[in-house]
Amino acid sequence: MTSLEAARGVDRPRLVLVDLDARVDIPAIIEALKRETTGQVVAFGPHLDADKLKAARAAGANRVLARSKFVANLPAILSPDGYVSEDLAAR
């Protein structure tokens, strides 16, 4: 079962977290998630891998964060109304 197949089995997720270090076609998965779910897609990965971060943005992720910002903001990301907050990236 692929990651996308697993995500399809979830009934309308509000939030999908995507680890950019996963060894899969991340842009294709993000694009499919954006087509097939209404949930927000938050991608995170190494701050030194600008190509992966840029590819996640181009694929349509709602938020793309360096792993350190993701970890630091995880409680806000997981809160019912904080995961898409505009000020999240500034924290």
Side-chain angles (χ1 to χ4, degrees):
M1 175 181 294
T2 67
S3 300
L4 182 57
E5 289 168 338
R8 284 184 182 139
V10 176
D11 186 30
R12 298 183 186 194
R14 292 183 49 208
L15 175 66
V16 179
L17 303 176
V18 178
D19 184 346
L20 298 179
D21 272 341
R23 295 174 192 252
V24 295
D25 185 353
I26 296 292
I29 287 175
I30 291 173
E31 289 169 2
L33 286 167
K34 295 302 290 181
R35 277 193 314 271
E36 297 181 24
T37 70
T38 58
Q40 300 294 306
V41 176
V42 176
F44 61 94
H47 73 278
L48 295 175
D49 200 337
D51 290 340
K52 283 184 181 179
L53 298 172
K54 191 179 297 185
R57 279 187 198 94
N62 298 91
R63 287 273 175 255
V64 179
L65 301 168
R67 186 175 310 281
S68 59
K69 281 211 181 268
F70 172 77
V71 170
N73 290 293
L74 192 55
I77 292 168
L78 296 177
S79 71
D81 51 330
Y83 61 92
V84 293
S85 174
E86 285 298 322
D87 65 346
L88 194 69
R91 291 183 190 173

